[in-house]
Amino acid sequence: MSGMMIVSFMVFSGSFAVATAVILTSIAPQWSRIVSLAAGNVEPAFAPLQTLARAERRIAVRRWSSTGMPQPSQRWNAAA
């Protein structure tokens, strides 16, 4: 009877240790964020599409501003 109790204690204590380690490794990187939210500080809204659209506009403006205006003679030569 005591052998079965030792085995069950080892199994449950091992699973408890693994579960505790998994919880700690998932919470540890976010600890400052959790404390900040618990203190009542609200995070800014996550808007990836707005950020992407702003970045694409900046890239388009940079491309547009980096290309010079073609000279009329070059334009006619390119068309011919």
Side-chain angles (χ1 to χ4, degrees), residues 46-70:
F46 180 63
L49 294 179
Q50 291 176 353
T51 306
L52 180 63
R54 197 174 314 121
E56 286 181 350
R57 278 194 301 273
R58 279 197 310 260
I59 291 170
V61 167
R62 286 182 187 154
R63 285 184 183 161
W64 176 78
S65 66
S66 68
T67 59
M69 292 294 294

Side-chain angles (χ1 to χ4, degrees), residues 2-75:
S2 74
M4 190 60 104
M5 286 179 55
I6 292 173
V7 170
S8 62
F9 176 75
M10 299 269 297
V11 168
F12 286 114
S13 63
S15 62
F16 177 75
V18 169
T20 304
V22 168
I23 290 170
L24 289 177
T25 56
S26 63
I27 289 177
Q30 302 293 330
W31 188 250
S32 62
R33 184 175 171 201
I34 293 168
V35 170
S36 175
L37 289 172
N41 300 328
V42 180
E43 291 183 336
F46 180 63
L49 294 179
Q50 291 176 353
T51 306
L52 180 63
R54 197 174 314 121
E56 286 181 350
R57 278 194 301 273
R58 279 197 310 260
I59 291 170
V61 167
R62 286 182 187 154
R63 285 184 183 161
W64 176 78
S65 66
S66 68
T67 59
M69 292 294 294
Q71 299 296 327
S73 61
Q74 291 175 345
R75 194 179 318 152

